[in-house]
């Protein structure tokens, strides 16, 4: 078994106060999650609905699950009953569906809006103008069961630190812009989710409040 306990202990000791760890456990077995849990970790990230559903019923109930992958509208109803945060909301349609299903379950769901700033075509998310347009429309204010808690992004998967830093700072500046314009009276709009195994140290310097780390805790994923 991968030395999960040692790895997570090391990472937790490095994170400054105010930066929360989402342990990305996708494709890893329950025993790995339990090992991290024994080190006190309670927030885990998954990206596939069926895998998550299985884990939720067989692992401790006080785990906070974050859905970090691309979520299809027709899958929302399956995860809304137990999800703590949906990190990668990339359309108004998805936001509305989360609200609708949350209302049905009589609960509130926290979400982040996903930005697309990477140069890669494959990644999803809003570009900055799309995100501005969504917030400007004000429709989200009527969605009383879904709470926008901040922004999420993935930087380009490159070795060039300068590029990663530029993208993350762009996200951070955009956070400041929308905080001021739409959320200045909402202290709960405070999360900046960027940083993965290979770039979380840069992310922390770029004002991240939430790092999503998988490989550096659990080792390589076995697909
Ligand atoms: C898988 C994944 C991560 C974790 O990636 P690692 O490189 O294993 O740390 C973080 N964020 C998202 C959105 C992911 O899909």
């Amino acid at each position: 078994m991968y030395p999960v306990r040692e790895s997570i202990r090391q990472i937790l000791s490095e994170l400054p106060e105010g930066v929360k760890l989402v342990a990305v456990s996708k494709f890893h077995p329950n025993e790995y999650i339990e090992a991290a849990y024994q080190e006190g970790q309670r927030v885990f990230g998954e990206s596939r609905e069926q895998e998550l559903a299985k884990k939720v019923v067989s692992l401790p109930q006080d785990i906070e699950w974050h859905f970090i992958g691309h979520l299809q509208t027709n899958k929302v109803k399956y995860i809304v009953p137990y999800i703590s945060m949906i990190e990668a909301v990339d359309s108004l349609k998805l936001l509305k569906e989360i609200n609708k299903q949350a209302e049905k379950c009589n609960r509130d769901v926290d979400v982040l809006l996903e930005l697309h700033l990477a140069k890669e075509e494959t990644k999803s998310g809003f570009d900055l103008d799309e995100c501005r347009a969504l917030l400007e429309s004000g429709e989200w204010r009527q969605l009383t069961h879904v709470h926008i808690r901040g922004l999420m992004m993935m930087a380009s998967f490159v070795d060039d630190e300068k590029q990663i830093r530029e993208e993350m700072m762009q996200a951070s500046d955009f956070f400041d812009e929308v905080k001021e314009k739409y959320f200045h009276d909402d202290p709960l709009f405070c999360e900046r989710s960027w940083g993965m195994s290979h770039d979380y140290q840069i992310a922390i310097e770029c004002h991240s409040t939430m790092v999503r780390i998988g490989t550096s805790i659990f080792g390589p994923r076995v697909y």
Side-chain angles (χ1 to χ4, degrees):
M1 174 167 167
Y2 196 78
V4 172
R5 293 184 69 154
E6 290 75 6
S7 307
I8 196 166
R9 212 180 296 150
Q10 176 60 37
I11 286 170
L12 285 169
S13 74
E14 281 174 29
L15 295 183
E17 212 178 296
V19 179
K20 184 190 258 192
L21 174 62
V22 179
V24 176
S25 49
K26 64 188 185 198
F27 295 97
H28 293 295
N30 284 0
E31 56 183 316
Y32 281 33
I33 298 173
E34 281 157 357
Y37 185 91
Q38 281 162 12
E39 289 298 321
Q41 182 65 23
R42 292 295 179 271
V43 185
F44 291 86
E46 290 281 336
S47 60
R48 297 186 310 164
E49 178 270 313
Q50 289 188 352
E51 178 180 354
L52 175 56
K54 278 191 201 132
K55 286 175 171 172
V56 167
V57 294
S58 54
L59 285 159
Q61 291 304 300
D62 63 342
I63 288 179
E64 291 174 39
W65 295 102
H66 284 206
F67 198 87
I68 61 168
H70 176 70
L71 181 60
Q72 288 170 288
T73 318
N74 62 352
K75 298 282 171 63
V76 170
K77 58 177 175 290
Y78 302 119
I79 69 166
V80 155
Y82 55 75
I83 205 76
S84 289
M85 181 177 269
I86 297 175
E87 290 209 18
V89 172
D90 58 3
S91 70
L92 178 61
K93 183 173 165 230
L94 182 57
L95 201 59
K96 285 178 170 171
E97 178 65 13
I98 296 166
N99 184 63
K100 182 177 146 192
Q101 297 300 335
E103 190 165 11
K104 272 193 195 166
C105 302
N106 214 351
R107 65 183 303 254
D108 287 8
V109 174
D110 287 340
V111 303
L112 304 177
L113 300 179
E114 182 183 10
L115 300 178
H116 175 113
L117 299 168
K119 308 286 182 289
E120 293 143 23
E121 285 299 319
T122 49
K123 298 211 162 86
S124 50
F126 296 104
D127 67 35
L128 298 187
D129 279 338
E130 286 168 345
C131 194
R132 286 186 185 104
L134 170 94
L135 292 169
E136 188 60 33
S137 82
E139 267 192 88
W140 55 276
R141 293 188 193 274
Q142 269 80 61
L143 307 176
T144 51
H145 290 263
V146 63
H147 303 293
I148 301 174
R149 297 285 316 274
L151 304 176
M152 177 269 203
M153 63 86 78
M154 268 190 277
S156 296
F157 195 80
V158 292
D159 290 329
D160 182 1
E161 258 198 39
K162 185 163 159 281
Q163 186 182 342
I164 295 171
R165 201 176 293 275
E166 271 170 20
E167 291 172 6
M168 288 176 173
M169 281 314 295
Q170 201 181 2
S172 174
D173 290 345
F174 186 72
F175 175 92
D176 293 343
E177 175 191 323
V178 298
K179 172 76 184 168
E180 160 87 24
K181 206 159 175 195
Y182 303 103
F183 298 97
H184 58 91
D185 56 354
D186 180 1
L188 293 180
F189 184 89
C190 61
E191 301 295 356
R192 295 175 289 266
S193 178
W194 39 87
M196 304 163 52
S197 291
H198 67 286
D199 60 11
Y200 73 91
Q201 277 106 346
I202 304 173
I204 291 166
E205 291 167 20
C206 298
H207 315 138
S208 173
T209 61
M210 211 179 253
V211 289
R212 308 176 307 268
I213 301 179
T215 309
S216 294
I217 297 172
F218 299 111
R221 286 179 281 276
V222 181
Y223 296 105

